[in-house]
Amino acid sequence: MNNKLQQLLDNNQQWAKNVELETPGFFEKLSKQQTPEYLWIGCSDSRVPANQIVGLMPGEVFVHRNIANQVIHTDLNCLSVIQFAVDVLKVKHVIVCGHYGCGGIDAAMQEKPCGLIDNWLRHIQDTQFKFRRQLGEINKIEQLDRMCEFNVVQQVLNVARTTIVMDAWERNQELTIHGWIYGLTDGLVKDQQVTIASTAEAESLAIRFDI
């Protein structure tokens, strides 16, 4: 076996040993139930590991990741994760977490052909068009980071507008959607103050950003 892959297996054994020493019976208990309160929708970027950056253990957060943390209404993968989290696991919080310096957003804004992924990046370009007025008010250097923030706002609204979430709110299920962004240069998560817990709040958010 490749030495690097063997190192991963060795790391796993040491990690499992350490967890079990710190919390005896952890894995046996974890294997019998999954009761997270959080659904994390984040970017696939290897520098943004969901559990680690918020200090959560396995079993505490249900995770879906894709390039540029998109929530697209034809993406059955993402929608299935949301439905399972909301309808089965009964999570109380959905966290959409983007990050500054996102490569997917940068590629979309550069409009350079990248191949198959261009079809995915088109959704980001649609979001960019919605926020064209706000982006036009700042210089080019700042636009990428601002677009990373605006993308989170759009994806929070996209989550809120799924039939899954609207049905949950209709039956008065406790469910709140949050928009966060992570800084690669300092390791800190920033709340973007776009938290919503009802259809009415979702529409107010859309009005606030004029989208």
Side-chain angles (χ1 to χ4, degrees):
M1 180 181 291
N2 183 284
N3 288 337
K4 290 184 178 180
L5 293 179
Q6 183 59 52
Q7 183 62 52
L8 296 182
L9 295 174
D10 293 342
N11 290 347
N12 167 254
Q13 290 187 18
Q14 187 60 52
W15 171 78
K17 180 180 178 180
N18 291 341
V19 171
E20 192 65 23
L21 285 173
E22 293 175 6
T23 311
F26 176 84
F27 291 109
E28 181 179 359
K29 180 180 179 181
L30 183 65
S31 68
K32 295 178 180 177
Q33 62 179 352
Q34 179 179 211
T35 56
E37 291 192 12
Y38 313 99
L39 166 61
W40 177 284
I41 300 175
C43 184
S44 297
D45 194 301
S46 62
R47 300 167 294 179
V48 193
N51 289 66
Q52 289 93 324
I53 65 175
V54 289
L56 293 178
M57 291 291 289
E60 294 183 301
V61 58
F62 198 58
V63 177
H64 176 76
R65 298 170 67 180
N66 60 50
I67 293 174
N69 43 277
Q70 299 290 290
V71 178
I72 299 167
H73 295 299
T74 54
D75 181 1
L76 295 183
N77 186 347
C78 182
L79 294 179
S80 297
V81 170
I82 295 174
Q83 182 175 29
F84 189 80
V86 172
D87 293 346
V88 179
L89 298 177
K90 305 294 184 184
V91 299
K92 292 182 172 60
H93 303 276
V94 177
I95 300 167
V96 177
C97 187
H99 67 94
Y100 292 119
C102 180
I105 292 176
D106 186 35
M109 295 180 74
Q110 295 294 334
E111 297 186 356
K112 294 180 180 178
C114 297
L116 179 64
I117 196 176
D118 291 341
N119 299 281
W120 186 262
L121 299 181
R122 175 59 61 186
H123 297 285
I124 302 171
Q125 291 165 348
D126 290 343
T127 298
Q128 180 183 1
F129 181 78
K130 289 183 180 181
F131 286 95
R132 64 193 181 282
R133 178 182 60 80
Q134 296 95 323
L135 290 168
E137 296 171 353
I138 57 179
N139 63 53
K140 290 286 186 180
I141 296 175
E142 297 174 326
Q143 284 182 1
L144 174 58
D145 281 350
R146 288 295 288 154
M147 182 57 196
C148 292
E149 295 175 345
F150 290 143
N151 180 58
V152 169
V153 175
Q154 183 63 64
Q155 304 320 313
V156 165
L157 286 172
N158 287 354
V159 173
R161 289 168 175 166
T162 62
T163 56
I164 303 157
V165 170
M166 289 192 294
D167 288 347
W169 282 337
E170 182 67 23
R171 60 179 179 263
N172 296 316
Q173 181 174 334
E174 181 183 351
L175 183 64
T176 305
I177 308 169
H178 312 265
W180 293 357
I181 192 153
Y182 176 72
L184 295 174
T185 59
D186 59 14
L188 299 178
V189 174
K190 181 174 71 175
D191 186 346
Q192 290 196 242
Q193 305 299 319
V194 291
T195 297
I196 54 178
S198 69
T199 300
E201 290 180 7
E203 293 314 305
S204 294
L205 180 63
I207 293 170
R208 173 179 154 195
F209 283 91
D210 190 26
I211 55 174

